[in-house]
Amino acid sequence: MTRVTTSLGLSALALAMFAGSAAADEGSARYIVKYQAGQGAAVQAAVAAQQGQVMRELSARHAISVSLPQGRADALARHPHVEFLEEDVKRFPMAETTPYGVIQVQGDQLGLNASAPTKVCIIDSGYDLAHEDLLSAGVDGTNDSGTGNWFTDENGHGTHVAGTIAAASNNGIGVVGVVSDPGLNLHIIKVFGADGWAYSSGLVAALDACKAARGANENLVINMSLGGSRKSRFEEQAFAQADSEGILSVAAAGNDGTTRDSFPASYGSVVSVAAIDEQKQIASFSQQNAQVEFSGPGVAVLSTVPMGTASVASLTANNTDYAAEGMEDSPSGSASGEMVDCGLGESACAAAGGKVCLISRGNISFADKVLNCQAGGGSAAVIFNNEPGMLYGTLGGVATNIPSVGISDVDGATLLQALSSGVVNASVDVGAGNYAYFNGTSMATPHVVAVAALVWSNHSSCSNVDIRNALAATAEDLGATGRDNAYGYGLVQAKLASDYLTTYGCAGDGSNGGDGGNGGGGGGGKGKPKRL
């Protein structure tokens, strides 16, 4: 399989989520208004009186999302028919860059029971239905104005998530999803367009669309590789209701690398997922807090992206091939010539005329390093890592004219040594591909979602609480003994969780008499920890 990479930071992935109309003007702010039943018209009239605009109607929940000029919210909040008013806080996708993960979570040890009605609802940026490695059978979706068709994906985040869950198996190409057997039903809700950000009201609308797509007796798991730092009472109530209705909601813990909560992951009714690497170490960017429940593979995760949007890269120097990853936003192309050491690339590389620039990571952006190579007449840029491992980089949308790639710290040191000893002739090639490595708790989340779907399909009479408890009871303990704020209960294990339910049943054996978790549900069983 060809190795490729694409890097997606929050700035590139802050996408417009379920936008019902144009975004609010800069001098206004957006709010959720919860009103008394039957008083929607009166409250909308009050919004108009405050020179506001209704952005979204959620009539089934007796609520609207509105844009109000600065300073008008307090007056609306005092309206006699308004129960509460709160900021319609933003929700962002959580990917930084980038499937050893299938083996880590035992996806290769447990098959899907296709006769059990099981659905995964992916709330994200869409699904490249034309992708060579993604299924069309059992896949449908929901469109929303402002985001485009659910079966296209303008940035790649949703397609990457979907591939981790259920990329096609036994077709001889690409990758294998955690759920490698056909029969899993996917419902795609496109809440991210090509650019922008999201609102919590849009996320609740997406949740309602997931529920509407749920078939009779169908167990439903929701994937949300997104989040934000601000809590929403309206959103919290919606997910608590979904939990009580037997839906299992799973979200990314966050990529700030702090102890701060992220929402919706940190609601008690939602499973919060941290990211680990191939060595099962917590990712430096992964949130660590009391709400982290499980860990999943989230570093250098290889999965599907929209056809032709990834970079396939190669580097050869003095007839030796080196592993290379194309910089996100690098133009396609080939270049060859002598290699020159351009140091940190902090200024135009004067000796680069017609040559391949070898540059160390550090101090300035990758884009500026490539531009400085280009300014010196360089034909290609090779940037090596300043910490262990492969360099997965992005130009952040900056336009450059020469192909650029990242390589590991070890290979960078090898090439520097070769340059000190003589001439190094190099060639660089960057082309288009269909698969990419991403990093993020966004990538860890679909691993947990897929495991939950596998386990639930084999124990379809169990509740969402039972599945959640079984995953906690059988997770591979990582970090400090027992549950901790970095790894939660640990790395989810599909086969062990299924075996646990086979042994103890949906409610466990009752020997410990636990409460089944703070979200409600069946009685505690042997070894079953409380839910977060």
Side-chain angles (χ1 to χ4, degrees), residues 166-369:
S169 62
N170 300 319
N171 60 358
I173 55 173
V175 296
V176 176
V178 176
V179 182
S180 58
D181 300 317
L184 180 67
N185 296 319
L186 298 180
H187 189 79
I188 311 300
I189 301 187
K190 186 171 186 173
V191 294
F192 302 133
D195 231 343
W197 26 252
Y199 288 107
S200 56
S201 61
L203 181 54
V204 172
L207 169 62
D208 289 343
C210 286
K211 292 163 65 173
R214 185 185 190 186
N217 301 315
E218 195 167 44
N219 292 320
L220 176 63
V221 187
I222 298 178
N223 189 105
M224 295 175 289
S225 292
L226 49 83
S229 62
R230 300 284 299 280
K231 186 176 183 178
S232 164
R233 178 166 37 152
F234 183 73
E235 190 177 73
E236 185 174 24
Q237 291 173 351
F239 282 103
Q241 178 185 352
D243 185 46
S244 70
E245 294 170 351
I247 295 169
L248 184 58
S249 301
V250 185
N255 294 334
D256 290 342
T258 67
T259 59
R260 186 171 60 185
D261 285 340
S262 179
F263 301 95
S266 289
Y267 300 133
S269 57
V270 178
V271 174
S272 176
V273 182
I276 61 173
D277 62 20
E278 193 167 2
Q279 287 70 47
K280 301 181 182 179
Q281 299 297 308
I282 193 69
S284 61
F285 55 78
S286 189
Q287 298 293 90
Q288 301 185 33
N289 56 54
Q291 293 302 316
V292 171
E293 193 162 349
F294 300 118
S295 307
V299 178
V301 174
L302 180 63
S303 187
T304 51
V305 292
M307 296 287 284
T309 62
S311 295
V312 179
S314 66
L315 167 65
T316 301
N318 284 352
N319 299 315
T320 299
D321 293 332
Y322 292 86
E325 302 295 342
M327 289 279 172
E328 183 194 7
D329 300 320
S330 169
S332 297
S334 300
S336 60
E338 288 186 25
M339 181 170 276
V340 59
D341 179 8
C342 293
L344 285 165
E346 295 180 322
S347 60
C349 189
K355 298 180 180 180
V356 174
C357 302
L358 180 64
I359 307 171
S360 173
R361 177 183 183 180
N363 297 346
I364 63 173
S365 71
F366 298 134
D368 286 338
K369 291 176 185 289

Side-chain angles (χ1 to χ4, degrees), residues 8-78:
L8 296 176
L10 282 182
S11 60
L13 274 180
L15 311 171
M17 182 185 216
F18 251 56
S21 59
D25 294 334
E26 291 183 358
S28 61
R30 188 146 160 169
Y31 302 89
I32 294 173
V33 182
K34 183 75 166 64
Y35 55 79
Q36 296 170 353
Q39 299 300 322
V43 171
Q44 289 199 30
V47 171
Q50 296 298 327
Q51 299 181 351
Q53 179 182 0
V54 176
M55 307 301 290
R56 178 182 295 278
E57 294 187 34
L58 300 107
S59 55
R61 295 182 176 275
H62 310 304
I64 52 176
S65 172
V66 302
S67 173
L68 292 173
Q70 295 293 336
R72 301 298 182 99
D74 288 345
L76 184 61
R78 292 193 294 268

Side-chain angles (χ1 to χ4, degrees), residues 122-146:
I122 302 174
I123 302 175
D124 214 289
S125 64
Y127 183 94
D128 183 10
L129 194 63
H131 199 283
E132 62 185 5
D133 208 17
L134 292 180
L135 303 175
S136 57
V139 182
D140 58 14
T142 298
N143 290 333
D144 188 74
S145 60

Side-chain angles (χ1 to χ4, degrees), residues 459-500:
H459 304 274
S460 58
S461 63
C462 290
S463 71
N464 58 331
V465 174
D466 299 326
I467 300 302
R468 193 169 176 178
N469 282 338
L471 293 180
T474 58
E476 180 182 349
D477 193 6
L478 301 172
T481 302
R483 194 217 153 266
D484 61 74
N485 289 358
Y487 299 91
Y489 291 113
L491 175 63
V492 291
Q493 302 288 279
K495 181 64 163 57
L496 289 179
S498 181
D499 290 348
Y500 177 93

